[in-house]
Coordinates of all heavy atoms in Angstrom, one line a residue:
G1 N 12.1 -157.7 -42.7 CA 11.6 -159.1 -42.4 C 12.6 -160.1 -42.9 O 13.7 -159.8 -43.4
P2 N 12.3 -161.4 -42.8 CA 13.2 -162.4 -43.1 C 13.6 -162.5 -44.6 O 14.8 -162.8 -44.9 CB 12.5 -163.7 -42.7 CG 11.1 -163.3 -42.5 CD 11.1 -161.9 -42.2
A3 N 12.7 -162.1 -45.5 CA 13.0 -162.1 -46.9 C 14.1 -161.1 -47.2 O 15.1 -161.4 -48.0 CB 11.8 -161.9 -47.7
R4 N 14.0 -159.9 -46.7 CA 14.9 -158.8 -46.9 C 16.3 -159.2 -46.4 O 17.3 -158.9 -47.0 CB 14.4 -157.5 -46.4 CG 13.2 -157.0 -47.2 CD 12.8 -155.7 -46.7 NE 11.6 -155.2 -47.4 CZ 10.6 -154.6 -46.9 NH1 10.6 -154.2 -45.6 NH2 9.6 -154.2 -47.7
L5 N 16.3 -159.7 -45.1 CA 17.6 -160.1 -44.5 C 18.3 -161.2 -45.4 O 19.5 -161.1 -45.6 CB 17.4 -160.5 -43.1 CG 17.0 -159.5 -42.1 CD1 16.7 -160.1 -40.8 CD2 18.2 -158.5 -41.9
A6 N 17.6 -162.2 -45.7 CA 18.1 -163.3 -46.5 C 18.6 -162.8 -47.9 O 19.7 -163.1 -48.3 CB 17.1 -164.4 -46.7
R7 N 17.9 -161.9 -48.5 CA 18.2 -161.4 -49.8 C 19.5 -160.6 -49.7 O 20.5 -160.7 -50.5 CB 17.1 -160.6 -50.4 CG 17.4 -160.2 -51.9 CD 16.2 -159.5 -52.5 NE 15.5 -158.5 -51.7 CZ 14.2 -158.7 -51.2 NH1 13.5 -159.8 -51.5 NH2 13.7 -157.8 -50.5
A8 N 19.6 -159.7 -48.7 CA 20.8 -158.9 -48.5 C 22.0 -159.7 -48.2 O 23.1 -159.3 -48.6 CB 20.5 -157.9 -47.4
A9 N 21.8 -160.8 -47.5 CA 23.0 -161.6 -47.1 C 23.3 -162.7 -48.1 O 24.3 -163.4 -48.0 CB 22.7 -162.3 -45.7
G10 N 22.4 -162.9 -49.1 CA 22.6 -163.9 -50.1 C 22.5 -165.3 -49.5 O 23.2 -166.3 -49.9
V11 N 21.6 -165.5 -48.6 CA 21.4 -166.8 -47.9 C 19.9 -167.2 -48.0 O 19.0 -166.3 -48.1 CB 21.9 -166.8 -46.4 CG1 23.3 -166.5 -46.4 CG2 21.1 -165.8 -45.6
P12 N 19.6 -168.5 -47.8 CA 18.2 -168.9 -47.8 C 17.6 -168.6 -46.4 O 18.3 -168.3 -45.4 CB 18.2 -170.4 -48.0 CG 19.6 -170.8 -47.4 CD 20.5 -169.6 -47.7
V13 N 16.2 -168.6 -46.3 CA 15.5 -168.4 -45.1 C 15.3 -169.8 -44.5 O 14.8 -170.7 -45.1 CB 14.2 -167.8 -45.3 CG1 13.4 -167.7 -44.0 CG2 14.3 -166.4 -45.8
L14 N 15.8 -170.0 -43.2 CA 15.6 -171.2 -42.5 C 14.8 -170.9 -41.3 O 14.9 -169.9 -40.6 CB 17.0 -171.8 -42.0 CG 18.0 -172.0 -43.1 CD1 19.3 -172.5 -42.4 CD2 17.6 -173.1 -44.0
V15 N 13.9 -171.9 -41.0 CA 13.1 -171.8 -39.8 C 13.5 -173.0 -38.9 O 13.4 -174.2 -39.4 CB 11.6 -171.8 -40.1 CG1 10.8 -171.9 -38.8 CG2 11.2 -170.6 -40.9
C16 N 13.9 -172.8 -37.7 CA 14.4 -173.9 -36.9 C 13.6 -173.9 -35.6 O 13.3 -172.9 -35.0 CB 15.9 -173.7 -36.5 SG 16.9 -173.5 -38.0
A17 N 13.4 -175.1 -35.1 CA 12.8 -175.3 -33.8 C 13.3 -176.6 -33.1 O 13.5 -177.6 -33.8 CB 11.2 -175.4 -34.0
L18 N 13.4 -176.6 -31.8 CA 13.8 -177.8 -31.1 C 12.5 -178.5 -30.7 O 11.5 -177.8 -30.3 CB 14.6 -177.4 -29.8 CG 16.0 -176.9 -30.0 CD1 16.6 -176.5 -28.7 CD2 16.8 -178.0 -30.7
E19 N 12.5 -179.8 -30.9 CA 11.3 -180.6 -30.6 C 11.7 -181.6 -29.5 O 12.7 -182.4 -29.8 CB 10.8 -181.3 -31.8 CG 9.5 -181.9 -31.7 CD 9.0 -182.4 -33.1 OE1 8.9 -181.6 -34.0 OE2 8.8 -183.6 -33.2
P20 N 11.1 -181.7 -28.4 CA 11.5 -182.6 -27.4 C 11.2 -184.1 -27.8 O 10.2 -184.4 -28.4 CB 10.6 -182.2 -26.2 CG 9.4 -181.6 -26.8 CD 9.9 -180.9 -28.0
L21 N 12.1 -184.9 -27.5 CA 12.0 -186.3 -27.7 C 11.3 -187.0 -26.5 O 11.3 -186.3 -25.4 CB 13.3 -187.0 -28.0 CG 14.0 -186.5 -29.3 CD1 15.4 -187.2 -29.4 CD2 13.2 -186.8 -30.5
P22 N 10.8 -188.1 -26.6 CA 10.2 -188.8 -25.4 C 11.1 -188.8 -24.2 O 12.3 -189.1 -24.4 CB 9.8 -190.2 -25.9 CG 9.6 -190.0 -27.4 CD 10.6 -189.0 -27.8
G23 N 10.6 -188.5 -23.1 CA 11.4 -188.5 -21.9 C 11.9 -187.1 -21.5 O 12.3 -186.8 -20.4
G24 N 11.9 -186.2 -22.5 CA 12.2 -184.8 -22.3 C 13.7 -184.5 -22.0 O 14.1 -183.4 -21.6
R25 N 14.6 -185.4 -22.2 CA 16.0 -185.2 -21.9 C 16.8 -185.0 -23.2 O 18.0 -184.6 -23.1 CB 16.6 -186.4 -21.2 CG 15.8 -186.7 -19.9 CD 16.4 -187.7 -19.0 NE 17.2 -186.9 -18.1 CZ 18.2 -187.4 -17.4 NH1 18.6 -188.6 -17.5 NH2 18.9 -186.6 -16.5
A26 N 16.2 -185.1 -24.3 CA 16.9 -184.8 -25.6 C 16.0 -184.1 -26.5 O 14.7 -184.2 -26.3 CB 17.4 -186.2 -26.2
F27 N 16.5 -183.5 -27.6 CA 15.7 -182.8 -28.5 C 16.1 -183.1 -29.9 O 17.2 -183.6 -30.2 CB 15.9 -181.3 -28.3 CG 15.5 -180.8 -27.0 CD1 16.3 -180.8 -25.9 CD2 14.2 -180.3 -26.8 CE1 15.8 -180.4 -24.6 CE2 13.7 -179.8 -25.6 CZ 14.6 -179.9 -24.5
R28 N 15.2 -182.9 -30.8 CA 15.5 -183.0 -32.2 C 15.4 -181.6 -32.8 O 14.5 -180.8 -32.5 CB 14.4 -183.9 -32.9 CG 14.6 -184.1 -34.4 CD 13.5 -185.0 -35.0 NE 12.3 -184.4 -35.1 CZ 11.9 -183.6 -36.1 NH1 12.7 -183.5 -37.2 NH2 10.7 -183.1 -36.2
L29 N 16.4 -181.3 -33.6 CA 16.4 -180.0 -34.3 C 15.7 -180.1 -35.6 O 16.2 -180.8 -36.5 CB 17.8 -179.5 -34.5 CG 18.0 -178.1 -35.2 CD1 17.3 -177.0 -34.4 CD2 19.5 -177.8 -35.4
D30 N 14.6 -179.4 -35.8 CA 13.8 -179.4 -37.0 C 14.2 -178.2 -37.8 O 14.1 -177.0 -37.3 CB 12.3 -179.4 -36.7 CG 11.5 -179.4 -37.9 OD1 11.9 -180.1 -38.9 OD2 10.4 -178.8 -37.9
V31 N 14.8 -178.3 -38.9 CA 15.2 -177.2 -39.8 C 14.5 -177.3 -41.1 O 14.5 -178.3 -41.8 CB 16.8 -177.3 -40.1 CG1 17.2 -176.1 -41.0 CG2 17.6 -177.3 -38.8
R32 N 13.8 -176.2 -41.4 CA 13.0 -176.2 -42.6 C 13.6 -175.0 -43.5 O 13.7 -173.9 -43.0 CB 11.5 -175.9 -42.3 CG 10.9 -177.1 -41.6 CD 9.5 -176.9 -41.4 NE 8.9 -178.0 -40.6 CZ 8.4 -179.1 -41.1 NH1 8.3 -179.2 -42.4 NH2 8.0 -180.0 -40.3
R33 N 14.0 -175.4 -44.7 CA 14.4 -174.4 -45.6 C 13.3 -173.9 -46.5 O 12.7 -174.7 -47.2 CB 15.6 -174.9 -46.5 CG 16.1 -173.9 -47.5 CD 17.2 -174.6 -48.3 NE 17.6 -173.6 -49.3 CZ 18.8 -173.6 -49.8 NH1 19.7 -174.5 -49.5 NH2 19.2 -172.7 -50.7
L34 N 13.0 -172.6 -46.4 CA 11.9 -172.1 -47.2 C 12.4 -171.9 -48.6 O 13.6 -171.6 -48.8 CB 11.3 -170.8 -46.6 CG 10.8 -171.0 -45.1 CD1 10.2 -169.8 -44.6 CD2 9.8 -172.2 -45.0
A35 N 11.5 -172.0 -49.6 CA 11.9 -171.9 -51.0 C 12.6 -170.5 -51.2 O 12.2 -169.5 -50.8 CB 10.7 -172.0 -51.9
D36 N 13.7 -170.6 -52.0 CA 14.4 -169.4 -52.4 C 13.7 -168.7 -53.5 O 12.8 -169.3 -54.2 CB 15.8 -169.8 -52.9 CG 16.6 -170.5 -51.8 OD1 16.4 -170.2 -50.6 OD2 17.5 -171.3 -52.1
G37 N 14.0 -167.5 -53.8 CA 13.5 -166.8 -54.9 C 12.2 -166.1 -54.7 O 11.7 -165.4 -55.6
D38 N 11.6 -166.1 -53.5 CA 10.4 -165.4 -53.3 C 10.8 -164.0 -52.8 O 11.2 -163.8 -51.7 CB 9.5 -166.1 -52.3 CG 8.1 -165.5 -52.2 OD1 7.9 -164.4 -52.7 OD2 7.2 -166.2 -51.7
D39 N 10.7 -163.0 -53.7 CA 11.1 -161.7 -53.3 C 10.1 -160.9 -52.5 O 10.3 -159.8 -52.1 CB 11.5 -160.9 -54.6 CG 12.8 -161.4 -55.1 OD1 13.6 -162.0 -54.4 OD2 13.1 -161.1 -56.3
C40 N 8.9 -161.4 -52.4 CA 7.8 -160.7 -51.7 C 8.0 -160.9 -50.2 O 7.8 -162.0 -49.7 CB 6.4 -161.3 -52.2 SG 5.1 -160.4 -51.3
A41 N 8.3 -159.9 -49.5 CA 8.5 -159.9 -48.1 C 7.3 -160.4 -47.3 O 7.4 -161.1 -46.4 CB 9.0 -158.5 -47.6
T42 N 6.1 -159.9 -47.8 CA 4.9 -160.3 -47.1 C 4.7 -161.8 -47.2 O 4.3 -162.5 -46.2 CB 3.7 -159.6 -47.7 OG1 3.9 -158.2 -47.6 CG2 2.4 -159.9 -47.0
R43 N 4.8 -162.4 -48.4 CA 4.6 -163.9 -48.5 C 5.6 -164.6 -47.7 O 5.3 -165.6 -47.1 CB 4.7 -164.2 -50.0 CG 3.4 -164.0 -50.8 CD 3.4 -164.7 -52.1 NE 4.6 -164.3 -52.9 CZ 4.6 -163.4 -53.9 NH1 3.5 -162.7 -54.1 NH2 5.6 -163.1 -54.6
M44 N 6.9 -164.2 -47.8 CA 7.9 -164.9 -47.0 C 7.7 -164.9 -45.5 O 7.8 -165.8 -44.8 CB 9.3 -164.4 -47.4 CG 10.4 -165.1 -46.6 SD 10.5 -166.9 -47.0 CE 11.2 -166.9 -48.6
T45 N 7.3 -163.7 -45.0 CA 7.0 -163.6 -43.6 C 5.8 -164.5 -43.2 O 5.9 -165.1 -42.1 CB 6.7 -162.1 -43.3 OG1 7.8 -161.3 -43.6 CG2 6.4 -161.9 -41.8
Q46 N 4.8 -164.6 -44.0 CA 3.7 -165.5 -43.8 C 4.2 -166.9 -43.8 O 3.7 -167.7 -42.9 CB 2.6 -165.3 -44.8 CG 1.4 -166.2 -44.5 CD 0.7 -165.8 -43.2 OE1 0.4 -164.7 -43.0 NE2 0.6 -166.8 -42.3
R47 N 5.1 -167.3 -44.7 CA 5.6 -168.7 -44.7 C 6.4 -169.0 -43.4 O 6.3 -170.1 -42.9 CB 6.4 -168.9 -46.0 CG 5.4 -168.9 -47.2 CD 6.0 -169.0 -48.5 NE 7.2 -169.9 -48.6 CZ 8.1 -169.6 -49.5 NH1 8.0 -168.6 -50.4 NH2 9.2 -170.4 -49.6
V48 N 7.2 -168.0 -42.9 CA 7.9 -168.2 -41.7 C 6.9 -168.4 -40.6 O 7.0 -169.3 -39.7 CB 8.8 -167.0 -41.4 CG1 9.4 -167.1 -40.0 CG2 10.0 -167.0 -42.4
A49 N 5.9 -167.6 -40.5 CA 4.8 -167.7 -39.4 C 4.1 -169.1 -39.5 O 3.9 -169.7 -38.5 CB 3.8 -166.6 -39.5
D50 N 3.8 -169.5 -40.7 CA 3.2 -170.8 -40.9 C 4.1 -172.0 -40.4 O 3.6 -172.9 -39.8 CB 2.8 -171.1 -42.4 CG 1.7 -170.1 -42.9 OD1 1.0 -169.5 -42.1 OD2 1.6 -170.0 -44.1
A51 N 5.4 -171.9 -40.7 CA 6.3 -172.9 -40.3 C 6.4 -173.0 -38.8 O 6.5 -174.0 -38.2 CB 7.7 -172.7 -41.0
L52 N 6.5 -171.8 -38.2 CA 6.5 -171.7 -36.7 C 5.3 -172.2 -36.1 O 5.3 -172.9 -35.0 CB 6.8 -170.3 -36.2 CG 8.3 -169.8 -36.5 CD1 8.4 -168.3 -36.1 CD2 9.2 -170.6 -35.7
S53 N 4.1 -172.0 -36.7 CA 2.8 -172.5 -36.2 C 2.8 -174.0 -36.1 O 2.3 -174.6 -35.2 CB 1.7 -172.0 -37.1 OG 1.5 -170.6 -36.9
V54 N 3.4 -174.6 -37.1 CA 3.5 -176.1 -37.2 C 4.3 -176.6 -36.0 O 3.9 -177.5 -35.3 CB 4.1 -176.6 -38.5 CG1 4.4 -178.1 -38.4 CG2 3.1 -176.3 -39.6
A55 N 5.4 -176.0 -35.7 CA 6.3 -176.4 -34.6 C 5.6 -176.2 -33.3 O 5.7 -177.0 -32.4 CB 7.6 -175.6 -34.6
I56 N 4.9 -175.0 -33.1 CA 4.2 -174.8 -31.9 C 3.1 -175.8 -31.6 O 2.9 -176.3 -30.5 CB 3.6 -173.3 -31.9 CG1 4.8 -172.3 -31.8 CG2 2.7 -173.1 -30.7 CD1 4.4 -170.9 -32.1
L57 N 2.3 -176.1 -32.7 CA 1.2 -177.1 -32.5 C 1.7 -178.5 -32.2 O 1.0 -179.2 -31.5 CB 0.4 -177.1 -33.8 CG -0.5 -175.8 -34.0 CD1 -1.1 -175.8 -35.3 CD2 -1.5 -175.6 -32.9
R58 N 2.9 -178.8 -32.6 CA 3.5 -180.1 -32.3 C 3.8 -180.3 -30.8 O 3.7 -181.3 -30.2 CB 4.8 -180.4 -33.0 CG 4.6 -180.9 -34.4 CD 5.9 -181.5 -34.9 NE 5.9 -181.3 -36.3 CZ 6.9 -180.7 -37.0 NH1 8.0 -180.3 -36.5 NH2 6.8 -180.5 -38.3
A59 N 4.2 -179.2 -30.1 CA 4.6 -179.3 -28.7 C 4.4 -177.9 -28.0 O 5.3 -177.2 -27.7 CB 6.1 -179.7 -28.6
P60 N 3.1 -177.5 -27.9 CA 2.8 -176.2 -27.3 C 3.3 -176.0 -25.9 O 3.7 -174.8 -25.6 CB 1.3 -176.2 -27.3 CG 0.8 -177.6 -27.5 CD 1.9 -178.3 -28.1
G61 N 3.5 -177.0 -25.1 CA 4.0 -176.8 -23.8 C 5.4 -176.3 -23.7 O 5.9 -175.8 -22.7
W62 N 6.2 -176.5 -24.8 CA 7.6 -176.0 -24.8 C 7.7 -174.6 -25.2 O 8.8 -174.1 -25.3 CB 8.4 -177.0 -25.8 CG 8.6 -178.3 -25.1 CD1 7.8 -179.4 -25.3 CD2 9.6 -178.6 -24.2 NE1 8.3 -180.4 -24.5 CE2 9.4 -180.0 -23.9 CE3 10.7 -178.0 -23.7 CZ2 10.3 -180.6 -23.0 CZ3 11.6 -178.6 -22.8 CH2 11.3 -180.0 -22.5
W63 N 6.6 -174.0 -25.6 CA 6.6 -172.6 -26.0 C 6.1 -171.8 -24.8 O 4.9 -171.9 -24.5 CB 5.8 -172.4 -27.3 CG 6.5 -173.1 -28.4 CD1 6.3 -174.4 -28.7 CD2 7.4 -172.6 -29.4 NE1 7.1 -174.7 -29.8 CE2 7.7 -173.6 -30.3 CE3 7.9 -171.3 -29.6 CZ2 8.6 -173.4 -31.3 CZ3 8.7 -171.1 -30.7 CH2 9.1 -172.2 -31.5
L64 N 6.9 -171.0 -24.2 CA 6.6 -170.3 -22.9 C 5.3 -169.6 -22.9 O 4.5 -169.7 -22.0 CB 7.7 -169.4 -22.4 CG 9.0 -170.1 -22.1 CD1 10.1 -169.1 -21.8 CD2 8.8 -171.1 -21.0
W65 N 5.0 -168.7 -24.0 CA 3.8 -168.0 -24.0 C 2.6 -168.8 -24.1 O 1.5 -168.5 -23.6 CB 3.9 -166.8 -25.0 CG 3.9 -167.3 -26.4 CD1 2.9 -167.7 -27.2 CD2 5.1 -167.6 -27.2 NE1 3.3 -168.1 -28.4 CE2 4.7 -168.1 -28.5 CE3 6.5 -167.4 -27.0 CZ2 5.6 -168.4 -29.5 CZ3 7.3 -167.7 -28.0 CH2 6.9 -168.2 -29.2
M66 N 2.7 -170.0 -24.8 CA 1.6 -170.9 -24.9 C 1.3 -171.5 -23.5 O 0.1 -171.6 -23.2 CB 1.9 -172.0 -25.9 CG 2.1 -171.4 -27.3 SD 0.7 -170.6 -28.0 CE -0.5 -171.9 -28.3
T67 N 2.3 -171.9 -22.8 CA 2.1 -172.5 -21.5 C 1.5 -171.5 -20.5 O 0.5 -171.8 -19.8 CB 3.5 -172.9 -20.9 OG1 4.0 -173.9 -21.8 CG2 3.3 -173.6 -19.6
A68 N 2.0 -170.2 -20.5 CA 1.4 -169.2 -19.6 C 0.0 -168.9 -20.0 O -0.9 -168.7 -19.1 CB 2.2 -167.9 -19.7
A69 N -0.4 -168.9 -21.2 CA -1.7 -168.6 -21.7 C -2.7 -169.7 -21.2 O -3.8 -169.4 -20.8 CB -1.8 -168.4 -23.2
R70 N -2.2 -170.9 -21.2 CA -3.1 -172.0 -20.8 C -3.3 -172.0 -19.3 O -4.3 -172.4 -18.8 CB -2.5 -173.4 -21.3 CG -2.6 -173.5 -22.8 CD -2.3 -174.9 -23.2 NE -1.1 -175.4 -22.5 CZ -0.4 -176.4 -22.8 NH1 -0.7 -177.2 -23.8 NH2 0.7 -176.8 -22.1
A71 N -2.2 -171.6 -18.6 CA -2.3 -171.7 -17.1 C -3.2 -170.6 -16.6 O -3.8 -170.7 -15.5 CB -0.9 -171.5 -16.5
G72 N -3.3 -169.4 -17.3 CA -4.1 -168.3 -16.8 C -5.5 -168.4 -17.2 O -6.5 -168.1 -16.8

């Protein structure tokens, strides 16, 4: 998971998402750095999922599987 990869590489865990700006022709890159030092892979994986959930809820139409699920 992300915690193990980050620990092995000696880098922090970052969660990134593009967020459309009004008009849909430009995007804002949202980068969240999750707290360092959490060696528990399960907790870190949950924190990554939580951060991605926030991004999806902000703009669900930009996430393909969310759009397909709403259309069907």
Side-chain angles (χ1 to χ4, degrees):
R4 289 183 183 145
L5 289 172
R7 187 173 44 246
V11 297
V13 175
L14 302 177
V15 176
C16 304
L18 288 175
E19 191 172 301
L21 294 177
R25 304 189 95 200
F27 296 87
R28 180 178 74 87
L29 177 61
D30 180 34
V31 179
R32 295 184 185 264
R33 179 180 178 153
L34 301 183
D36 299 332
D38 192 345
D39 287 341
C40 178
T42 302
R43 280 194 305 265
M44 182 58 77
T45 300
Q46 183 62 57
R47 290 176 35 209
V48 169
D50 292 344
L52 287 173
S53 293
V54 169
I56 292 168
L57 290 172
R58 273 195 215 129
W62 287 92
W63 296 82
L64 296 177
W65 64 85
M66 297 300 289
T67 302
R70 288 190 317 192

